[in-house]
Amino acid sequence: MSDLPAGVERRRFDGDERLATRGEPVYGEPTDGEWRAWNPNRSKLGAMLALGMETGLEGGDDETVLYLGAASGTTVSHVADVAGPTYAVEFAARPVRDLLEAADSRPRLFPLLKDARKPETYAHVVERDVNVLVQDVATRGQARVALENRRFLADDGRLLLAVKARSEDVTREPAAVFADVREELAEEYELLESRRLDDYHADHLGIVARPL
């Protein structure tokens, strides 16, 4: 199993060993004092960590993160527990209300009601040279979103992408969808690792890449 980011530990909750971060609970997850369990069944990034993928997420106040598809804050709240400035982009107004609540106790979490397919709309807010770009958007053109947001990523940064095959094309085999996504990403990224997340999320692929 790979090393975990600083601030993420394996701790026991109700007899089971789980990943955990320190912070206020967000989605009804088990807690133990200041620690909150990180549920990989509700988090693609959590699944990538649980499966031992080398994400390059290090943790620490100096690590800047851009998170695309933040929804109500389930995963990005864990990221903000361990990282520095964390920009959370979400398109739908309803989950952003929950995301704002998660940010109340996290001064390093910055919710943005924006469309990840239009990075020019938040380019004036998000600093350049972010260390980690996390993407979990349920839309067609997931590779294109990663390519369009490449502008924010530091040259030595990491893309952590969760590809949802059924959002691309519900009629095609997931393996074929994943192959197309990898091919398109290769225009601007070097793919370091990819792994199916089916243990936790059906028809999803986790990808770790770095800019070319």
Side-chain angles (χ1 to χ4, degrees):
M1 189 75 71
S2 64
D3 291 335
L4 293 172
V8 181
E9 293 188 5
R10 297 182 182 89
R11 302 183 68 88
R12 301 196 75 83
F13 296 86
D14 300 323
D16 296 324
E17 188 175 81
R18 308 271 294 276
L19 298 179
T21 64
R22 288 188 179 96
E24 291 294 321
V26 170
Y27 53 100
E29 66 275 25
T31 59
D32 179 13
E34 61 184 355
W35 291 91
R36 51 193 288 254
W38 190 343
N39 186 351
N41 294 105
R42 297 187 60 175
S43 168
K44 282 73 165 198
L45 179 56
M48 293 169 71
L49 291 170
L51 290 168
M53 295 183 69
E54 297 285 351
T55 64
L57 186 66
E58 297 180 353
D61 293 345
D62 294 333
E63 187 170 55
T64 307
V65 179
L66 173 59
Y67 193 107
L68 307 178
S72 58
T74 297
T75 297
V76 75
S77 62
H78 285 289
V79 174
D81 284 346
V82 302
T86 302
Y87 300 95
V89 175
E90 172 54 43
F91 177 67
R94 175 62 190 90
V96 166
R97 291 201 291 270
D98 295 331
L99 180 59
L100 287 168
E101 288 187 18
D104 281 345
S105 60
R106 295 175 173 85
R108 296 175 295 190
L109 177 57
F110 304 104
L112 299 171
L113 180 59
K114 299 292 183 180
D115 187 341
R117 296 169 297 182
K118 301 176 181 179
E120 66 276 4
T121 64
Y122 47 88
H124 63 293
V125 177
V126 178
E127 59 191 86
R128 301 294 177 128
D129 295 332
V130 301
N131 303 109
V132 182
L133 171 60
V134 184
Q135 180 179 320
D136 180 13
V137 294
T139 184
R140 284 181 179 270
Q142 292 167 80
R144 180 51 49 188
V145 172
L147 293 171
E148 291 291 335
N149 283 273
R150 158 69 182 86
R151 69 186 73 182
F152 300 109
L153 196 56
D155 290 340
D156 60 349
R158 290 292 183 272
L159 166 69
L160 308 180
L161 171 61
V163 183
K164 184 176 183 180
R166 300 305 180 189
S167 292
E168 290 288 345
D169 190 338
V170 72
T171 67
R172 298 180 66 205
E173 284 297 318
V177 173
F178 297 149
D180 286 350
V181 169
R182 283 192 292 258
E183 181 179 2
E184 189 172 356
L185 281 177
E187 296 175 14
E188 294 190 33
Y189 288 98
E190 177 188 358
L191 274 61
L192 302 176
E193 185 178 4
S194 64
R195 182 164 177 173
R196 294 283 293 258
L197 306 181
D198 296 88
D199 288 355
Y200 301 101
H201 301 276
D203 302 327
H204 281 74
L205 181 74
I207 293 176
V208 181
R210 64 185 172 197
L212 289 173

